[in-house]
Amino acid sequence: MADIDNKDQAEMDPADMEDVEDVEEEETCEDENSKARQLTVQMMQNPQILAALQERLDGLNGSPSGYMESLPKVVKRRVNALKNLQVKCAHIEAKFYEEVHELERKYAALYQPLFDKRSEIVSAAYEPTDEECEWKADEEEELTVSKQDEMKEKAKLEEEKKDEEKEDPKGIPEFWSTVFKNVDLLSDMLQEHDEPILKHLQDIKVKFSDPGQPMSFTLEFHFEPNEFFTNTVLTKVYKMRSEPDESDPFSFDGPEIMSCTGCTIDWTKGKNVTLKTIKKKQKHKGRGTVRTVTKTVPNDSFFNFFSPPEVPENGELDEDSEAVLTADFEIGHFIRERIVPRAVLYFTGEAIEDDDDDYDEEGEEADDEEGEEEADEENDPDYDPKV
C-alpha cells in the first residue's frame, strides 16, 4: 500500500505537489496560531502573570527611552543644556500668563458696565428702549420663513403680548436659573429643592485679584432678599498659581487653580437644603426594645458648592475629596470663562447649540472612519465576519 502511495506521488504533477505542500504549511500555521491564542488566553487569566505585567508597565512610566540611555555621555551633557533652556522658557511663559491676567483685569473693567446693565434689565431695575430691543434676525433665517408662518407667528406674539399685559412680568424671570438648567455641567448639580432658591439669583460677577496680589478670582452670586437665607451675596474664591513647579518645571502649562474657599450661608431656620433629617430605628441588644433616633445628615444640593473640601498644608487629599475639587475647579473656570461673559446665549440655548455642533463634528468624523474601516473589511477577500 505504501508502494502504491509512493508511486502515485511520483506520478503527480510538480505543480500539484506544490499545492499540497502549501495546504500543509497553512494548516501548520493555523495550528500554531490557535495554540498561541490559547496560551495567551491562559496567561491573561493567571493573576500572578497579570500582576507581573502591571508591575513591569508601572516601572516603565516616566523612565527614559532606550535611545536616550544609549547616547554618548557628551551628547547627554548637551541634552541637559537644552533642558535648562526649557526651564527658562517655562519661566518666561509664566510671565506671559501674568500679563494676560493683567489684561483680563483691564478688560473686565470695560465689560462691567455692560454686565451691570444686563443685571438691571434682568432684575427690572431698567426697562430697555425700543431701539435697544430691536434685533435683526439672520437673512437666511428670514428667507426660510414663509408668509403663512409669519402670520401665525404674529398671531402667536399678539396672544403672548396680551398674556404679558395681564401678568405684567418684571424683567426676565428666572434668568439665571434657566441658564443653570440649560448647561449640563451646572444642571447636574441642581436638585429640585434648589430651584426655588435660584429663582432669587439676580446676577453673577467675576472679580479679579488686585495688582501685586497673588493671582486669584472671585465668583459673586447676588441674591434678592428671600426666605431661605439672609446673605445678599455668596462668594467663592479661587486661588491660582502661574509659575513652574521647581520639582517638575516641565509640567507647567499655564495658570492652574490650586485651592478654593467658599463662604458661610446664614440659613433661615428650617430652610437649609444642604442638610436633611432622617429617622433610624435602633434595637437595644439586652432588652430588645426599639427606639427611633433622629439624625441630621448632609444632603445633595447646588449650595454645597460654597463648602468645598479644604486642601491640607501637605496638599494630600483622599480620592473622594480630590474628585470633588477637580470638578469644582472645572465648574468655577467654566462659570468665569463662559457663563458670565455669554449668559444670554446660554439662556436662549444658542451657546449650547454651538457646543453641540463641535461635538457632532467629531462624532461624524469618527463615524466616517468606522465606515471606511467597514468598507475595507468588506473588500478584503480574506475577511471572515465570524472572526
Side-chain angles (χ1 to χ4, degrees):
M1 187 69 180
D3 294 339
I4 294 172
D5 290 340
N6 291 336
K7 185 179 179 181
D8 290 341
Q9 287 182 358
E11 291 177 355
M12 286 179 68
D13 185 75
D16 294 336
M17 288 289 291
E18 289 179 4
D19 292 340
V20 171
E21 289 173 359
D22 289 342
V23 171
E24 290 177 351
E25 287 178 4
E26 288 178 4
E27 290 176 352
T28 303
C29 288
E30 287 179 3
D31 290 341
E32 290 177 355
N33 290 338
S34 177
K35 289 177 182 177
R37 283 195 294 269
Q38 290 175 0
L39 182 60
T40 302
V41 171
Q42 291 173 1
M43 289 174 65
M44 296 309 292
Q45 289 176 346
N46 188 323
Q48 292 179 341
I49 293 175
L50 286 174
L53 282 171
Q54 186 61 52
E55 186 177 352
R56 175 64 178 161
L57 289 172
D58 291 342
L60 291 173
N61 288 339
S63 61
S65 65
Y67 173 73
M68 282 298 300
E69 291 296 322
S70 67
L71 290 175
K73 190 174 181 180
V74 66
V75 176
K76 290 182 183 177
R77 182 171 172 273
R78 294 169 190 145
V79 171
N80 289 338
L82 296 184
K83 286 185 175 181
N84 286 324
L85 291 176
Q86 191 63 45
V87 171
K88 291 179 180 179
C89 287
H91 284 282
I92 292 174
E93 189 178 3
K95 292 292 183 184
F96 164 77
Y97 283 113
E98 286 178 8
E99 292 194 22
V100 169
H101 189 68
E102 293 296 325
L103 277 175
E104 283 184 313
R105 184 187 294 108
K106 173 185 174 182
Y107 279 89
L110 300 177
Y111 286 127
Q112 197 54 51
L114 302 177
F115 294 157
D116 288 343
K117 197 163 191 177
R118 177 180 69 188
S119 177
E120 290 173 355
I121 293 172
V122 168
S123 61
Y126 172 78
E127 184 62 35
T129 64
D130 291 341
E131 184 180 353
E132 289 173 323
C133 292
E134 284 183 11
W135 180 257
K136 182 174 173 57
D138 294 338
E139 293 182 6
E140 292 181 5
E141 192 177 304
E142 291 178 351
L143 292 172
T144 57
V145 180
S146 65
K147 285 287 182 183
Q148 187 177 0
D149 290 338
E150 286 180 3
M151 291 180 67
K152 288 181 180 179
E153 189 69 15
K154 286 180 181 178
K156 184 181 177 182
L157 288 171
E158 287 177 0
E159 288 178 4
E160 289 177 353
K161 189 175 181 180
K162 290 178 182 178
D163 291 338
E164 287 177 2
E165 288 174 354
K166 291 177 183 177
E167 297 173 4
D168 191 25
K170 303 294 183 182
I172 303 178
E174 301 180 25
F175 177 83
W176 288 102
S177 61
T178 302
V179 170
F180 275 50
K181 290 177 186 177
N182 284 346
V183 179
D184 290 341
L185 188 65
L186 302 178
S187 64
D188 289 344
M189 302 167 62
L190 297 184
Q191 306 297 322
E192 189 175 346
H193 46 254
D194 293 326
E195 294 181 17
I197 309 175
L198 286 176
K199 289 179 181 179
H200 298 284
L201 179 59
Q202 292 187 312
D203 199 11
I204 303 177
K205 295 181 179 181
V206 179
K207 296 290 179 69
F208 293 95
S209 54
D210 294 330
Q213 296 296 316
M215 190 182 293
S216 67
F217 67 91
T218 302
L219 299 178
E220 295 182 352
F221 295 74
H222 292 253
F223 287 84
E224 65 183 356
N226 60 80
E227 60 181 301
F228 300 96
F229 45 72
T230 57
N231 311 65
T232 56
V233 181
L234 301 181
T235 59
K236 188 76 171 284
V237 180
Y238 289 89
K239 295 179 181 178
M240 306 172 70
R241 184 180 68 183
S242 183
E243 57 185 16
D245 187 348
E246 291 182 5
S247 62
D248 187 16
F250 303 131
S251 65
F252 180 71
D253 192 26
E256 58 179 334
I257 298 173
M258 300 304 296
S259 65
C260 57
T261 308
C263 66
T264 301
I265 302 177
D266 299 321
W267 293 99
T268 304
K269 187 176 180 180
K271 297 292 185 178
N272 188 348
V273 294
T274 65
L275 298 174
K276 63 180 178 181
T277 302
I278 60 171
K279 293 182 178 180
K280 295 183 72 175
K281 290 183 178 180
Q282 293 181 343
K283 189 175 182 180
H284 194 280
K285 292 180 180 179
R287 295 192 295 269
T289 55
V290 178
R291 66 173 183 175
T292 301
V293 178
T294 302
K295 297 180 75 175
T296 301
V297 296
N299 191 27
D300 290 337
S301 169
F302 163 75
F303 291 91
N304 290 323
F305 178 70
F306 299 97
S307 302
E310 293 184 7
V311 180
E313 291 183 4
N314 59 10
E316 294 181 3
L317 292 164
D318 58 70
E319 289 185 8
D320 291 341
S321 297
E322 190 171 352
V324 170
L325 275 182
T326 300
D328 191 305
F329 294 169
E330 183 183 357
I331 292 164
H333 182 75
F334 190 82
I335 291 174
R336 166 195 158 178
E337 292 289 325
R338 305 294 293 276
I339 298 298
V340 172
R342 310 176 71 199
V344 66
L345 300 181
Y346 283 99
F347 176 81
T348 62
E350 292 167 83
I352 303 159
E353 290 172 6
D354 291 342
D355 293 343
D356 290 342
D357 288 343
D358 293 339
Y359 284 109
D360 287 340
E361 286 173 8
E362 292 178 6
E364 286 168 8
E365 287 176 8
D367 292 342
D368 290 343
E369 289 173 5
E370 288 176 6
E372 288 173 7
E373 288 177 4
E374 289 174 3
D376 291 341
E377 289 172 349
E378 290 173 1
N379 294 331
D380 185 356
D382 297 328
Y383 172 64
D384 184 354
K386 292 180 181 177
V387 178

